[in-house]
Amino acid sequence: FAKVNGGYKDIEAGFISEALLALTGAPVHTYFVQSGNPDENWRAMVEGERNNFVMCCASGDFNKSGNDAADSRSGLSGNHAYSLLSAHEVFYQGRQIRLVRLRNPWGKGEWKGDWSDNSPLWTSELRQQLNVTSADDGIFYMSFEDWQKYFHDFDICYYHDNYVHSNKLFCSSPTAPTVIRW
């Protein structure tokens, strides 16, 4: 994707859905957290996981300092893309909890709040059930409620192994534009 767009510096910002569509050719749907229905968003995530669809999410602009470093309180980076690995419903102290599992593509930097790797909320049974490890590997859990506070939108790419699509090969160059006309 970086090569097609002229290099990594040319893909510094944008929409996750554009990259997913360009890389797979499969349809992509964007769900907006604040304007969407939380239960419908949750059902879409669970369905996406059940079908092994590619899912990603974008954090909001909560880090107003303008740098790319993680927010020291949350551990999350603002205006950043994360892989949405899975959605789980577990029972904790007699009630159902919705958890999302995320991955920072940098491979480090994780959520520091409830349900993070070292959170005291984890029981040994839940740790084992969800395969939770305490390592700064970029993979972490957080509650769906907290996720809604920090994330702006999520995308589901409806790609599957027998997906049929057509494509066209284009030669591109970082110094000359590639123009596509229909």
Side-chain angles (χ1 to χ4, degrees), residues 126-171:
L126 282 175
R127 267 188 190 279
Q128 186 175 12
Q129 177 185 342
L130 297 179
N131 196 26
V132 177
T133 59
S134 294
D136 188 15
D137 55 3
I139 298 172
F140 58 92
Y141 283 89
M142 65 191 306
S143 73
F144 181 65
E145 289 74 22
D146 282 336
W147 178 86
Q148 291 177 97
K149 295 174 191 172
Y150 286 93
F151 286 84
H152 176 268
D153 62 68
F154 69 101
D155 297 287
I156 299 178
C157 179
Y158 295 93
Y159 175 84
H160 51 83
D161 287 340
N162 358 341
Y163 184 75
V164 178
H165 64 280
S166 62
N167 57 36
K168 173 81 173 126
L169 179 63
F170 295 95
C171 295

Side-chain angles (χ1 to χ4, degrees), residues 63 69-76 112:
N63 185 359
D71 177 70
S72 60
R73 292 173 314 252
S74 70
L76 300 173
K112 295 178 179 179

Side-chain angles (χ1 to χ4, degrees), residues 3-178:
K3 283 184 180 183
V4 168
N5 288 282
Y8 284 103
K9 66 180 176 57
D10 295 321
I11 60 168
E12 186 174 324
F15 297 102
I16 299 168
S17 58
E18 292 174 345
L20 291 173
L21 178 62
L23 291 170
T24 67
V28 179
H29 184 82
T30 301
Y31 297 84
F32 294 97
V33 176
Q34 300 307 317
S35 62
N37 178 305
D39 289 329
E40 288 176 14
N41 287 346
W42 178 256
R43 282 191 293 276
M45 278 185 198
V46 170
E47 184 69 20
E49 181 191 357
R50 187 177 305 127
N51 288 298
N52 292 317
F53 292 140
V54 177
M55 298 188 293
C56 300
C57 56
S59 60
D61 189 15
F62 55 85
N63 185 359
K64 305 287 186 193
S65 67
N67 66 29
D68 291 334
D71 177 70
S72 60
R73 292 173 314 252
S74 70
L76 300 173
S77 294
N79 289 323
H80 185 55
Y82 288 83
S83 299
L84 179 53
L85 300 177
S86 57
H88 302 271
E89 292 179 334
V90 297
F91 284 95
Y92 177 74
Q93 296 183 344
R95 61 184 190 139
Q96 191 173 43
I97 304 290
R98 293 175 172 177
L99 299 175
V100 293
R101 186 176 187 216
L102 304 168
R103 181 178 188 278
N104 185 337
W106 295 337
K108 62 181 181 174
E110 299 182 7
W111 168 245
K112 295 178 179 179
D114 288 346
W115 300 103
S116 62
D117 288 358
N118 296 314
S119 171
L121 297 176
W122 288 109
T123 64
S124 57
E125 295 82 19
L126 282 175
R127 267 188 190 279
Q128 186 175 12
Q129 177 185 342
L130 297 179
N131 196 26
V132 177
T133 59
S134 294
D136 188 15
D137 55 3
I139 298 172
F140 58 92
Y141 283 89
M142 65 191 306
S143 73
F144 181 65
E145 289 74 22
D146 282 336
W147 178 86
Q148 291 177 97
K149 295 174 191 172
Y150 286 93
F151 286 84
H152 176 268
D153 62 68
F154 69 101
D155 297 287
I156 299 178
C157 179
Y158 295 93
Y159 175 84
H160 51 83
D161 287 340
N162 358 341
Y163 184 75
V164 178
H165 64 280
S166 62
N167 57 36
K168 173 81 173 126
L169 179 63
F170 295 95
C171 295
S172 64
S173 164
T175 58
T178 302

